Amino acid sequence: MDSNTLEYAKILDQQDQLASYRKEFYLPEQKIYMDGNSLGLLSRRAESTLLALVDSWKTLGIDGWTEGQYPWFYLAEQLGERMAPLVGGKESEVVATGSTTTNLHQLVSTFYRPSGKRTKILADELNFPSDIYALQSQIRLQGLNPDEQLIRVKSDDGLTLNEDRIIEAMTEEVALIVLPAVLYRSGQVLNMKALTNAANERGITIGFDLCHSIGSVSHELHEWGVDFAFWCTYKHLNGGPGSVGGLFIHEKHFGKEAGLAGWFGSDKTKQFDMNHTMTAAGDAGAYQIGTPHILSVAPLLGSLEMFEELGMERIRDKSLALTAYMMECIQAELEEYSFDIGNPTDSTRGGHILLLHKEAARICQALKAEGVIPDFRAPDGIRLAPVALYNSFEDVWQTVKILKKIIKEETYKQFPNERGVVA
Ligand SMILES: *Cc1c(COP(=O)(O)O)cnc(C)c1O
């Protein structure tokens, strides 16, 4: 049977063992949501734990810190334990705290100690702007010049990075390496194990940004010997807009003084002694700063259940099947319309497809007008993320069909080729 048909997509959906999870989510009505890598959708379980914590505030007031179903005082650590399997960390190595950017600041200020010849930070030229801004400012805080101290490994094709090139750049001048696990535009999954090995051999500290990988691909951070990692939870983990992020710190670094200290990094039994000499927690908890954002961490309590029930392997398998099917449909339907696939097509692809087209900005607007939610990444990228927990093979088929209609009938020409404020 021709795979590029609605009937075939429906057969794939019938065979899909994760299909029942779709009804756990609030799917925007009459829309096909393909943007779960920017903002994951709300699930009923996330909604219910959010409401439970609003209720604990309502009924318990200050006592909510230690009483009720989810005492607030311990949530950051408990959620750390629950996220640990997603990153391959030990329970004590992970904590829910901060945001991607603030956690990066915390970890770089903890680990970046330029001295002698080793003064540079190694990153890449395709990195997300916020990460680069944070690294530049951390270099400035050391009284150094980011133009001299920040190395950005070049990409040969503007889309992907070559691990060998990154390893070649790990010279004796490099003090710290910060790289994405999955690149936000092309979705390339970097070989974290090989990169970490190379960094460890050269005595260079290495950390990864897991924003686009957590909840989408698996990691073995502890086993690989990664020094640290950080992430947000509003993309594949479906924690809600601005939900609290997470960080991993390898246990070999436990006891290392936090660059940015604050009382929530205390040993929990000592925190309320109110002493002016801090007794830091002996695990990842030490890298928290202030009072946790309880209402912004609450949805994760429910959302993570689904990852626990399924395990990352099954989620990744379905994700790969969805993106494989999407590429198949694109090749069959869009061949003559000057689209290029910008993501790696092999198993080093992450959870989304990157379609390149010079009219990408207005094609995205036309897609939205037709009920498909993509996101645009300047200058020419259309990201489409069919998410394992809530997208179907039929969604994928429909998306490509609508894309073809827009291109064939040239309806995208009604829109200006400009981006909106967000995306
Ligand atoms: C989403 C994302 C961010 C966002 O950082 P916030 O601090 O949550 O605003 C940063 N870096 C990367 C690579 C991302 O994908």
Side-chain angles (χ1 to χ4, degrees), residues 37-38 98-104 127-131 180 182-184 209-212 230-235 242-243 383:
N37 60 332
S38 270
S99 69
T100 305
T101 313
T102 61
N103 289 339
L104 174 57
N127 213 319
F128 197 85
S130 196
D131 299 45
V182 168
L183 275 63
Y184 78 96
D209 181 325
L210 310 187
C211 279
H212 279 278
F230 52 96
W231 55 88
C232 63
T233 60
Y234 49 79
K235 293 172 181 168
S243 56
R383 289 194 312 189

Side-chain angles (χ1 to χ4, degrees), residues 232-278:
C232 63
T233 60
Y234 49 79
K235 293 172 181 168
H236 290 280
L237 294 187
N238 312 315
S243 56
V244 171
L247 65 80
F248 160 92
I249 184 152
H250 199 283
E251 70 179 355
K252 66 189 171 197
H253 298 301
F254 284 181
K256 197 172 174 61
E257 192 174 359
L260 307 173
W263 74 321
F264 264 80
S266 296
D267 176 329
K268 295 197 105 58
T269 62
K270 303 271 167 56
Q271 180 172 343
F272 278 86
D273 290 353
M274 305 309 245
N275 208 311
H276 276 194
T277 306
M278 181 171 166

Side-chain angles (χ1 to χ4, degrees), residues 383-414:
R383 289 194 312 189
L384 298 166
V387 172
L389 288 179
Y390 51 78
N391 283 118
S392 63
F393 291 87
E394 184 175 339
D395 283 347
V396 168
W397 184 83
Q398 292 284 4
T399 297
V400 176
K401 187 178 145 224
I402 291 168
L403 202 47
K404 182 172 181 177
K405 175 175 168 236
I406 287 167
I407 287 289
K408 207 170 159 184
E409 296 174 7
E410 301 191 340
T411 56
Y412 65 90
K413 290 191 171 162
Q414 301 160 14

